[in-house]
Structures are given as structure tokens and as C-alpha cells.
Amino acid sequence: MAEISSERRDKVAVITVHDPDRRNALTPALSEQLAAAVAEAEADTGVHAVIVTGTPAPGVGGGPGKGQAGARADGEGGGLST
């Protein structure tokens, strides 16, 4: 099961997703947890920015489905393959 933690570093809220078994894929349940963490950060008037990251690297991926494709910013393919 995914774990979400959040901490405040000065004026920045850092939200970390930890679900190594699914490589931090955004499932419906995780999306709800993430939305709640963002809403909590948004309600804090001292927070000026939010960073969403994941452990272990590479961070937070896309959905859990197979066959999803994506492109890197430089246009060189990338993404997931089956």
C-alpha cells in the first residue's frame, strides 16, 4: 500500500509518495491521498510552493496500466513500454 508523507521546509510543502511495489503509479486511491495532502498544503497560508516527489527514484510515475507511452521533453520517446 502506498504511503504519503508531507513535511514543510520553510515556505515549501514537500509531499513524498512511497509505493515501491507499484513504482509510485497514480492509482485512484493514491490520487485521493495525494489530493488530500495538496489540499492540506493549500490551506496552510505559510506554504508558497508544493513539491511532489517519490521514493525510491525515479519519483512519481503515470498510471498503473500497461502499454502507456510518453515522450520526454526533448521529444526522444521515453515513457513506459510493454
Side-chain angles (χ1 to χ4, degrees):
M1 180 172 181
E3 296 176 26
I4 290 186
S5 63
S6 58
E7 65 179 292
R8 186 166 158 196
R9 298 179 189 168
D10 196 20
K11 296 179 180 182
V12 178
V14 179
I15 300 169
T16 304
V17 177
H18 181 75
D19 189 4
D21 293 339
R22 294 181 181 244
R23 296 186 181 196
N24 299 325
L26 294 175
T27 63
L30 181 58
S31 294
E32 287 181 22
Q33 293 175 19
L34 189 55
V38 170
E40 183 178 320
E42 184 178 36
D44 185 338
T45 59
V47 171
H48 293 216
V50 176
I51 296 173
V52 178
T53 187
T55 62
V60 179
K66 290 186 174 185
Q68 295 179 345
R72 298 186 329 206
D74 62 6
E76 292 293 322
L80 302 174
S81 60
T82 56

